[in-house]
Amino acid sequence: HKNRIIQTISLLVFISFNLLHLARPDIQLIYSHTGLFAMGIITCLLYLKRVNFFQFMLVFILGLVATWMCKTPEVAIFGLFTALTIYFIRFQSKITDFFGKISYSVYLTHTLVGHNLLFLALKIWKWNMPNHLLLLITFAATVLFATLYWWLVEAPSKKLSSKIIIAKGK
């Protein structure tokens, strides 16, 4: 929304969904991550100069606190450093362009691939290997699957959606 008050209130309400996670931690839905999402959204809005510094600090700090309380301090700190990196560091290469291109596909599929591969490796296949090697294999499988997903689903969907013409209202 273009109205900064509505933006701020919406993001604060969004963060408040973390309270649902505090009340019912057994239910893992999107609201257990709303503090992190709000931190990312407000960082993007600051970068685009669509919020002022006060709005940014208010939403960001409350998102950080909600994440700290509802997830772990490590997740909150990781979110903090991720936001700072996104806002302050400008670096472009073929590798960053590639990961930027497949990032939404990674977001959509990482749990499906990563959790299931870890479950299979540890519980079914009983792989006995160092954790860092298992993490590397899981990361590679996730990137490979996300790349295929981008190529087979996301890119064709974007191309198809660009052909849709939306009529202006009267």
Side-chain angles (χ1 to χ4, degrees):
H1 201 278
K2 290 183 180 188
N3 183 308
R4 291 182 179 197
I5 294 172
I6 293 174
Q7 284 176 342
T8 304
I9 291 171
S10 298
L11 286 168
L12 294 175
V13 168
F14 187 59
I15 292 168
S16 73
F17 286 128
N18 270 141
L19 299 175
L20 294 173
H21 181 69
L22 287 175
R24 292 288 311 270
D26 56 312
I27 300 174
Q28 291 289 324
L29 296 172
I30 190 171
Y31 59 74
S32 67
H33 301 291
T34 57
L36 277 175
F37 284 134
M39 289 164 62
I41 292 166
I42 201 69
T43 301
C44 177
L45 291 173
L46 182 67
Y47 178 79
L48 296 172
K49 297 178 178 30
R50 293 169 86 187
V51 295
N52 61 40
F53 190 71
F54 173 76
Q55 289 172 282
F56 168 76
M57 290 303 292
L58 176 67
V59 172
F60 195 88
I61 289 171
L62 289 175
L64 186 68
V65 169
T67 301
W68 190 287
M69 292 172 52
C70 297
K71 290 298 196 185
T72 65
E74 295 83 8
V75 171
I77 291 168
F78 186 79
L80 169 67
F81 282 113
T82 300
L84 292 172
T85 300
I86 290 169
Y87 188 78
F88 288 110
I89 296 178
R90 295 288 157 250
F91 176 77
Q92 188 173 358
S93 70
K94 288 183 180 183
I95 294 171
T96 58
D97 289 348
F98 167 74
F99 279 104
K101 181 171 69 174
I102 69 163
S103 64
Y104 187 63
S105 293
V106 169
Y107 168 71
L108 291 176
T109 64
H110 75 281
T111 301
L112 172 73
V113 176
H115 285 205
N116 287 321
L117 182 57
L118 286 173
F119 175 79
L120 289 170
L122 297 172
K123 302 291 182 185
I124 306 297
W125 301 329
K126 309 277 189 213
W127 286 359
N128 186 14
M129 63 176 57
N131 286 345
H132 65 279
L133 185 56
L134 185 57
L135 181 63
L136 186 63
I137 291 168
T138 304
F139 177 76
T142 300
V143 170
L144 177 62
F145 188 86
T147 302
L148 291 171
Y149 188 87
W150 178 86
W151 186 56
L152 296 171
V153 178
E154 187 179 349
S157 297
K158 282 178 147 180
K159 186 176 181 181
L160 184 61
S161 71
S162 70
K163 295 179 181 180
I164 298 172
I165 299 170
I166 300 174
K168 301 277 183 188
K170 293 182 181 182

